[in-house]
Amino acid sequence: MKKRKILLIGLGAVVLAGAATYATAPLYWGRYFRALTVNPLEPPIDWYKPVAVVKGAPAAPLPQTTPEAAGIDPAALEAAAEYAGARKSDALIVVKDGAIVYERYWNGVGPTTVMKAHSFTKTMTGMLVGAAIADGKIKSVDQPAADFITEWKNDERSKITIRDLLQMSSGLEPPDYSYAPWSSTIRTFLSPDLAKDNLALKAVHPPGTVFGHHNPDPVALSVIVERATGETFADYMSEKLFQPLGMHDGSLWLAKEGGLSHGDCCMISQVQDWMRIGIMLANGGSFEGKYVLSADYVAAMSAPGKANPGYGFQIWRGRPFVKNRIYSPERPDKASVSAEPIAAEDAIFLDGWGKRRLWIVPSQKLVVLRDGVDLDDWDDTKIPNLILRGLAAPAAPQPEKAP
């Protein structure tokens, strides 16, 4: 009886606390309770609101070519599409040398359908840091983050560098992986005070020593970009990426009207526009003959991180190979499984929730997008390897004829 009374008192306290918080944070609780009525890991696009528009400057469509002209076996592309189509995919697009070689869509999706990018957004944030360095707004990736995040100046977090944040090794406390409304996982994701709640996290590891694919690191980077440039995150992304790449308008999820854009998740843009991002990275920062990012920064993005050699600056690397690629040491059970390495030493890729992938192989000028939803029956390197092994072997050099 006594235990029951204590339990009822505890539940009552939770209800009262929730009611009191709702009165001051209806946006937070509205998001939370609506998530309970949909798939909280794959909510509809209109769940992400308010948003900031990222203005594009739509250019002519990407050129098209044939598999034969691109030197890819058509049977390899069909095999990749068969694998994708059998596994809840919405889109598979293949680009070689800047031209679209192959497209397949399912479930009513098409090239102009808007796509929930999830953690692809993190890579965009990483690229904006490079743009801010090129603009002289940030000195280098080794500048202390506390130069911009003054909230960290007087404690252990003053040792965190921008590089540590880019490489997901800040040492900030990890999420508690609870979906209760008061958990750190939910609070730092749904909060209307996104910067405040994420920047309040304590340091629990020396920076640069422990990798964790956690949202607070790119959120901190988005704060740095805004404070360094004096522009909103959406405006700077428009200026440095969307317009130079000829992309259509997109949107970023805002913590609240006039608040911080999420640099960790949930950018929305047209499916085919992602190929422009991939082409630029495959070309070392160049798109249609003009540099969008410096070649040095793209090379640094793709280099191994200190705490995880399989991760660069907010982007994954194909090497070194691990069969079970974990995202966080606290959750080794949550991993993406691969039967074998990607069949290209220089492969890099964007990884979004639901097994969304944008694979990039600079040596082959190859870009492959898979959009879709999550599933268990998934080999993370199957699609890129089918396509890579379908590439025609280069012709043997012919001896020069005597004059």
Side-chain angles (χ1 to χ4, degrees):
M1 190 69 178
K2 185 177 180 182
K3 288 183 179 178
R4 184 181 177 188
K5 185 176 180 181
I6 292 171
L7 178 61
L8 288 172
I9 291 171
L11 288 173
V14 168
V15 170
L16 288 171
T21 306
Y22 185 85
T24 57
L27 184 57
Y28 176 90
W29 286 96
R31 286 170 176 162
Y32 181 78
F33 286 125
R34 189 181 176 210
L36 298 180
T37 66
V38 296
N39 179 352
L41 300 177
E42 196 70 61
I45 283 177
D46 68 358
W47 183 86
Y48 300 102
K49 57 186 182 182
V51 298
V53 174
V54 184
K55 293 295 294 180
L62 292 172
Q64 304 263 348
T65 190
T66 64
E68 292 79 9
I72 305 178
D73 182 354
L77 296 168
E78 291 298 331
E82 182 179 353
Y83 184 84
R87 287 163 179 81
K88 299 183 180 179
S89 295
D90 289 333
L92 178 69
I93 310 176
V94 181
V95 162
K96 181 79 167 67
D97 298 316
I100 295 175
V101 180
Y102 188 86
E103 295 177 276
R104 279 286 297 277
Y105 301 98
W106 298 265
N107 307 315
V109 171
T112 61
T113 302
V114 292
M115 167 185 161
K116 294 176 288 187
H118 292 282
S119 284
F120 282 18
T121 313
K122 294 176 171 66
T123 307
M124 301 291 278
T125 300
M127 290 191 285
L128 288 186
V129 171
I133 290 172
D135 284 346
K137 306 295 185 180
I138 295 173
K139 294 176 185 176
S140 77
V141 296
D142 294 311
Q143 186 173 1
D147 285 358
F148 304 97
I149 304 176
T150 54
E151 296 92 329
W152 291 357
K153 271 197 174 294
N154 298 315
D155 55 47
E156 285 297 302
R157 297 171 299 178
S158 64
K159 300 175 183 176
I160 298 171
T161 65
I162 293 172
R163 182 188 297 273
D164 296 324
L165 293 169
L166 286 165
Q167 294 179 344
M168 291 289 203
S169 58
S170 65
L172 295 174
E173 59 187 295
D176 54 18
Y177 297 101
S178 164
Y179 294 103
W182 49 82
S183 74
S184 66
T185 300
I186 299 300
R187 187 182 70 252
T188 54
F189 188 58
L190 300 185
S191 175
D193 292 315
L194 188 67
K196 179 181 176 182
D197 281 343
N198 280 272
L199 299 182
L201 295 173
K202 297 179 175 61
V204 295
H205 300 291
T209 62
V210 177
F211 172 83
H213 195 257
H214 302 147
N215 287 339
D217 284 16
V219 169
L221 289 171
S222 64
V223 172
I224 289 171
V225 167
E226 287 205 343
R227 293 181 181 179
T229 64
E231 298 186 43
T232 69
F233 197 65
D235 285 349
Y236 200 62
M237 186 178 289
S238 168
E239 176 189 339
K240 296 300 177 181
L241 296 174
F242 270 56
Q243 294 192 47
L245 291 170
M247 295 172 67
H248 298 80
D249 289 358
S251 63
L252 288 165
W253 185 27
L254 287 174
K256 60 184 176 184
E257 289 289 357
L260 181 68
S261 293
H262 274 265
D264 55 329
C265 175
C266 314
M267 195 180 92
I268 295 167
S269 61
Q270 290 192 13
V271 172
Q272 202 181 86
D273 275 351
W274 282 102
M275 309 316 291
R276 296 171 181 270
I277 296 289
I279 291 167
M280 182 267 291
L281 291 174
N283 290 339
S286 173
F287 183 77
E288 296 183 345
K290 296 180 180 179
Y291 275 92
V292 176
L293 292 175
S294 78
D296 287 346
Y297 188 78
V298 173
M301 280 185 73
S302 308
K306 291 185 290 183
N308 181 359
Y311 197 79
F313 290 175
Q314 298 292 306
I315 197 166
W316 293 89
R317 305 179 69 250
R319 292 290 192 278
F321 170 67
V322 287
K323 182 177 180 180
N324 296 296
R325 179 171 57 88
I326 65 170
Y327 296 85
S328 171
E330 300 84 24
R331 294 299 303 272
D333 56 316
K334 299 295 183 182
S336 284
V337 179
S338 302
E340 59 179 346
I342 298 178
E345 293 283 342
D346 62 334
I348 55 177
F349 59 100
L350 284 65
D351 175 326
W353 176 262
K355 304 300 189 294
R356 290 170 175 86
R357 299 289 184 268
L358 184 68
W359 293 282
I360 301 153
V361 183
S363 60
Q364 297 288 349
K365 297 296 185 285
L366 180 72
V367 182
V368 181
L369 173 75
R370 184 266 176 180
D371 182 31
V373 296
D374 207 359
L375 70 169
D376 294 326
D377 180 22
W378 181 261
D379 177 348
D380 214 29
T381 57
K382 182 78 170 180
I383 288 174
N385 280 351
L386 283 168
I387 296 168
L388 282 163
R389 288 171 180 148
L391 287 170
Q398 299 297 312
E400 292 185 13
K401 295 181 180 179

